[in-house]
Amino acid sequence: MDQNIQTLNACKIPTDDVLFIALELGEHILRSGGEITRAEDTITRICRAYGATHVDVTAIFSMIALTVDFNETRSTCTRRLKSSTSTNLNRLAKLNELSRAICAELPQKDEVVEKMRKISSASSTKISLYILGNILAAFGFAAFFSDLKNGFSGEVVLGIAADAMLAGLIALPLCLILLWLDKIQTSPLVSKFAVCFLGGVAALLIERIIPICHADIIMIGNIMNVIPGVAMTNAFRDLFGGEIMSGLFRLCSVIIDAIVIAAGYAVAILIFGGVA
Amino acid sequence: MNEIIRISIVLAAGLIGSIGFSVLFNVAKKHFIFALISAAISCLAFEVAVLLGLGLFLSSVIGAGLAAAYSDIMAHKIKTPATVMIIIGMIPLVPGARLYYTMLGIVQDDMAMFSKNGESALLIAAGIAVGIIVITAISRPLNAKLSEINSKKQKNKG
C-alpha cells in the first residue's frame, strides 16, 4: 500500500490521466479484435502499475465501465465505444507491446497519446493488401470447400481450378464495392446485403455462361470474406468463458449478419431460379 | 493413398485461404509464419480426426484445441498475444460451406439439406469454442503459476 502511494507520487500523474490511458488502451484493443478479457486485463494492469489500490472493470461490446481506488479516493468512469470493429492483428500485437511498456515505464499522458497515434498510422491496412487478401481468401476457400461437394477426383480438378480462379476474380470488384459503400457510410448490413446479392448474381451468371463451373463453390469462396466466422467463435468463447453479456451481444449481431448474408445470396438464387 | 493426396490438396487450399485472411487481418510480417502454422495444425488435425471417424464435433474440438495450445505456447516465446495465432488458426475450421448449404436448403425448400448442414455448422462452431476454452482453462492458471515462480526466482537472485 505505502509503496503504491509512493509510485503514484513519484510519477505525479493525475488520476484522470491514468484513467484516460487505461481506457484508451482498452478501447483500441477491443476495436482491433482483441477479446473482452484481454481488454479488462490490460486496463487492470495499467491502473495497478500507476498505483491503484483497487481496480474493478467490466467491458461489453459497446462500453467499458471502470472503478479505480487511488489513495482512498474512488473514481468511476465509463466510456462508450463505437461498435464497429475491424480485426487488425498487427495493431493488437503493437498495443500489447505498448501496454507492457506503459506498465514498466509509467509515461505521461501526452507520451502515450503520441505513441497510440503512431501505432494507429503505422498499422492501418493498405488498400492493395486488403484487395489481395480478399482475392486469396476467396480463391483458397473455393478450392478448400469444393472437397465437401464432390471430393477431388481427376475429372473435376479442372472445374475446381476454374471455380477457385473465378471466385478470386469476382472477389476483386466485390471488395472494391464494399470499400466504396463503407466510404459513403452505408449501413454495414445494407452493404453486406448488396455485396452478397451482387456476388450471387455474378456467380450464377458465370455458371450459365461456363457450364463446367459450379455457382455454389464460387459463392462459398466469396461468402468466406463476409461471414462473421471470427465473431461467431468469439461469441461462443465469451459465452462459455462467463462473459454472458458481451457473448449474447456478439451472438445476436452474428445471427443478424448471417441472416443478411443469406438473404443477399437467397434473393440472387431465387431470381435465377435455383443453382444447377 | 488417395486420402493422403486429398488431404494435402485440402491443406494447401486451406493455407492459401488462411494467407488471404492473414493479409486481410494485417498480421505483422514477423508473426506471419507462426499464424500460418497454427492454421495448418487446425486444418490437418481436423481432417485426420474426421478421417478416423471421430465425428464433426470432436474433430473440431481437437483441431481448435491443438491450434490454441500451439498459439499459447508460441505466444510466450515470441511475446505476442495468442489471439493473433488463434484467430488465423480457426479460419480453416469456420464452416462456411455448411452455412451456405443451410441457406440453400431454406431457399430451395429442402429440409433434409437444411437440417443436416445446419446441425453440422452448429456442431463445428461449438466445437471450435470448446477446443479454445479447454486450452484457455488449462493455460491461465498454469501461466499464473509460471510467472509466480519466475518472479520468485528473480527475487532470490536479487
Side-chain angles (χ1 to χ4, degrees):
Chain A
M1 178 90 179
D2 284 344
Q3 197 192 353
N4 285 337
I5 294 170
Q6 275 167 9
T7 346
L8 186 67
N9 290 339
C11 56
K12 288 211 176 53
I13 292 186
T15 311
D16 281 353
D17 285 6
V18 175
L19 296 181
F20 177 85
I21 293 171
L23 287 175
E24 193 75 359
L25 254 288
E27 173 175 355
H28 279 82
I29 285 177
L30 285 178
R31 285 175 58 189
S32 315
E35 323 90 286
I36 301 277
T37 38
R38 179 173 299 282
E40 290 176 347
D41 205 43
T42 305
I43 291 173
T44 310
R45 274 168 202 265
I46 291 177
C47 290
R48 283 201 188 283
Y50 278 105
T53 46
H54 171 80
V55 185
D56 205 340
V57 57
T58 181
I60 54 169
F61 207 52
S62 53
M63 192 201 69
I64 304 175
L66 171 63
T67 296
V68 184
D69 286 0
F70 280 110
N71 307 340
E72 327 271 297
T73 49
R74 173 161 289 184
S75 326
T76 297
C77 61
T78 52
R79 179 178 282 211
R80 170 79 170 88
L81 308 180
K82 272 189 195 161
S83 52
S84 70
T85 54
S86 59
T87 312
N88 188 331
L89 298 176
N90 188 14
R91 186 171 295 165
L92 184 65
K94 284 195 168 148
L95 287 169
N96 197 51
E97 269 169 38
L98 177 62
S99 83
R100 278 170 198 264
I102 290 177
C103 290
E105 297 157 17
L106 306 180
Q108 297 285 334
K109 179 182 165 188
D110 298 344
E111 220 177 297
V112 176
V113 170
E114 177 62 21
K115 278 184 181 159
M116 298 281 288
R117 206 183 49 78
K118 269 188 194 154
I119 288 180
S120 291
S121 63
S123 59
S124 56
T125 315
K126 289 194 191 88
I127 288 190
S128 53
L129 285 178
Y130 175 81
I131 293 169
L132 178 73
N134 266 299
I135 294 175
L136 278 177
F139 172 83
F141 282 109
F144 183 76
F145 284 119
S146 50
D147 169 52
L148 199 70
K149 185 178 159 85
N150 35 25
F152 291 121
S153 59
E155 61 269 35
V156 295
V157 162
L158 190 68
I160 290 168
D163 288 342
M165 269 179 231
L166 285 167
L169 201 67
I170 294 182
L172 174 66
L174 287 185
C175 75
L176 288 178
I177 293 172
L178 196 61
L179 275 178
W180 176 70
L181 287 173
D182 216 30
K183 205 175 162 192
I184 60 167
Q185 298 192 326
T186 318
S187 127
L189 288 180
V190 175
S191 12
K192 270 191 184 142
F193 178 84
V195 166
C196 291
F197 172 71
L198 291 175
V201 169
L204 289 158
L205 273 179
I206 286 174
E207 191 187 49
R208 298 285 189 277
I209 298 165
I210 314 172
I212 58 159
C213 290
H214 307 92
D216 44 1
I217 298 297
I218 300 176
M219 284 192 243
I220 289 168
N222 281 299
I223 280 182
M224 282 301 283
N225 289 346
V226 281
I227 217 167
V230 174
M232 183 165 72
T233 316
N234 279 340
F236 278 112
R237 277 174 75 185
D238 283 345
L239 279 178
F240 286 106
E243 301 281 349
I244 303 292
M245 277 279 265
S246 48
L248 284 178
F249 269 120
R250 269 203 235 244
L251 196 62
C252 287
S253 97
V254 165
I255 291 171
I256 290 168
D257 269 6
I259 290 173
V260 167
I261 292 166
Y265 283 100
V267 171
I269 293 170
L270 286 173
I271 289 175
F272 276 77
V275 181
Chain B
M1 194 61 202
N2 265 343
E3 285 302 325
I4 296 177
I5 296 172
R6 192 188 66 84
I7 289 183
S8 10
I9 299 178
V10 169
L11 186 64
L15 278 182
I16 295 174
S18 306
I19 292 175
F21 270 97
S22 308
V23 174
L24 209 56
F25 289 160
N26 201 7
V27 175
K29 276 186 205 121
K30 57 182 173 180
H31 303 143
F32 217 86
I33 190 75
F34 299 106
L36 281 186
I37 292 173
S38 166
I41 290 174
S42 71
C43 184
L44 196 62
F46 178 81
E47 291 295 334
V48 171
V50 168
L51 203 64
L52 293 176
L54 290 180
L56 289 176
F57 179 72
L58 208 54
S59 303
S60 49
V61 171
I62 293 173
L66 285 179
Y70 161 83
S71 305
D72 256 348
I73 295 169
M74 287 318 289
H76 284 276
K77 293 216 165 143
I78 60 173
K79 292 230 160 29
T80 196
T83 319
V84 173
M85 286 162 281
I86 290 182
I87 286 184
I88 300 300
M90 297 312 125
I91 298 281
L93 298 180
V94 171
R98 289 185 169 86
L99 285 171
Y100 169 82
Y101 288 119
T102 310
M103 179 272 292
L104 196 64
I106 300 175
V107 174
Q108 300 190 333
D109 207 11
D110 183 343
M111 277 304 129
M113 185 195 256
F114 166 74
S115 53
K116 185 180 149 233
N117 287 292
E119 188 196 345
S120 338
L122 277 181
L123 280 180
I124 294 177
I128 297 173
V130 170
I132 301 175
I133 289 154
V134 168
I135 296 300
T136 322
I138 299 172
S139 78
R140 246 194 219 142
L142 208 66
N143 284 338
K145 196 85 199 162
L146 278 179
S147 57
E148 203 178 286
I149 293 171
N150 278 344
S151 61
K152 263 185 194 166
K153 264 186 195 168
Q154 276 175 352
K155 261 185 195 168
N156 287 343
K157 272 182 194 171

